[in-house]
Amino acid sequence: MQVLSRDGYKCRSCFSRNALHVHHIIFRSQQGTDETSNLITLCSSCHDGVHKDVKDGQYGLTIEVLQPGVVRMQRRPGWRPR
C-alpha cells in the first residue's frame, strides 16, 4: 500500500489509474528486494510490457534505476500500453 500511495495511485509509466500492480524494478529472481525503493506502481498493460511483450528480443517497457528513487522508463519503438 505504501508504494501505491507514494506513486499517487497511478502507473508511473502511462499514468493510468486502472488495474494497478506493484512491480519489482530489480526482479526477485535477480536478488531484488521487497524494499519500497525497489518497487514501482505499474498498470496491468505496462506490467505486461515489462514481463511479456517481447518483440525482436526487446521488451515493450524497460525500467532502469539511475539513482535511488530515480528511474528511467524506455519503451520499445512503436510499443504503447493498451
Side-chain angles (χ1 to χ4, degrees):
M1 220 35 170
Q2 270 185 319
V3 176
L4 295 170
S5 178
R6 178 199 67 201
D7 293 342
Y9 295 91
K10 60 187 171 189
C11 176
R12 292 269 306 268
S13 174
C14 72
F15 310 109
S16 172
R17 293 184 181 274
N18 298 317
L20 298 177
H21 298 207
V22 175
H23 168 72
H24 287 82
I25 298 168
I26 300 171
F27 300 162
R28 283 188 284 184
S29 63
Q30 298 171 341
Q31 284 67 54
T33 69
D34 291 335
E35 299 293 320
T36 57
S37 61
N38 187 46
L39 300 171
I40 193 167
T41 303
L42 296 176
C43 69
S44 176
S45 180
C46 288
H47 202 201
D48 284 350
V50 172
H51 288 288
K52 299 177 185 175
D53 192 343
V54 181
K55 184 177 180 182
D56 299 327
Q58 285 188 304
Y59 285 92
L61 179 66
T62 56
I63 303 171
E64 177 185 4
V65 178
L66 300 177
Q67 60 185 0
V70 180
V71 295
R72 174 174 46 200
M73 309 235 183
Q74 188 168 336
R75 294 179 179 179
R76 181 182 69 229
W79 183 84
R80 298 198 191 298
R82 295 182 219 151

